[in-house]
Amino acid sequence: MIVLIGPMGAGKTTVGGLVAARLGTSVRDTDQDVEAAQGRTISEIFVDDGEETFRALERAAVAEALATHDGVLSLGGGAVLDPGTRDLLAGHDVVFLRVGLSDAVKRVGLGSARPLLLGNVRGRIKALLDERTPVYESVATLVVDTDGRTPEDVAEEIVSALARKDGS
């Protein structure tokens, strides 16, 4: 299994699909799992039930996916903040898709409806990057910079790096 982590705008969902296609495997996104199980969007969960409820749902979705999925798994941006989730990632190939502030803002958009970006989008993205980057780096077995690169280039770097690591 290959697990993709990183902040919003890093390209986890897009790159995950490309990596899975190159490897001939399936891709799964835990944010999509939560939405499917709840029958509503993450934004709705945040508004209706709060972030704490969402994080509990996310933690359960990540644990279930790590136990049952063997392809490429994309985690939500905040999933690795949970110590239990970080523990579950041990022993997996965990790829941190690093993105800078400028590229993250371009990809997410200033009119974003993401619940953690209400208000000053650029300022919130910067704060989240500053807060979370050390956590992403602490669990990653591979760090790939995405700034100024196509998703295809990023996917190719991941596949090549993991093949070298595995001696293939």
Side-chain angles (χ1 to χ4, degrees), residues 98-120:
R98 183 175 15 224
V99 63
L101 178 60
S102 179
D103 277 33
V105 169
K106 283 182 213 167
R107 294 175 190 169
V108 171
L110 292 175
S112 177
R114 295 175 187 242
L116 289 179
L117 297 184
L118 297 177
N120 175 354

Side-chain angles (χ1 to χ4, degrees), residues 20-96:
R22 281 174 168 73
L23 297 176
T25 191
S26 60
V27 65
R28 187 166 171 179
D29 184 308
T30 57
D31 280 351
Q32 293 171 358
D33 288 352
V34 170
E35 289 181 339
Q38 294 298 303
R40 52 195 174 138
T41 68
I42 291 170
S43 292
E44 291 170 328
I45 296 167
F46 263 78
V47 169
D48 295 343
D49 302 325
E51 183 175 1
E52 187 176 325
T53 296
F54 169 72
R55 294 296 174 202
L57 295 168
E58 178 180 56
R59 183 179 322 110
V62 171
E64 196 275 331
L66 287 170
T68 62
H69 181 70
D70 63 357
V72 178
L73 181 64
S74 297
L75 302 190
V80 297
L81 299 178
D82 182 77
T85 296
R86 291 194 302 271
D87 290 344
L88 291 173
L89 293 173
H92 293 285
D93 288 317
V94 179
V95 181
F96 168 31

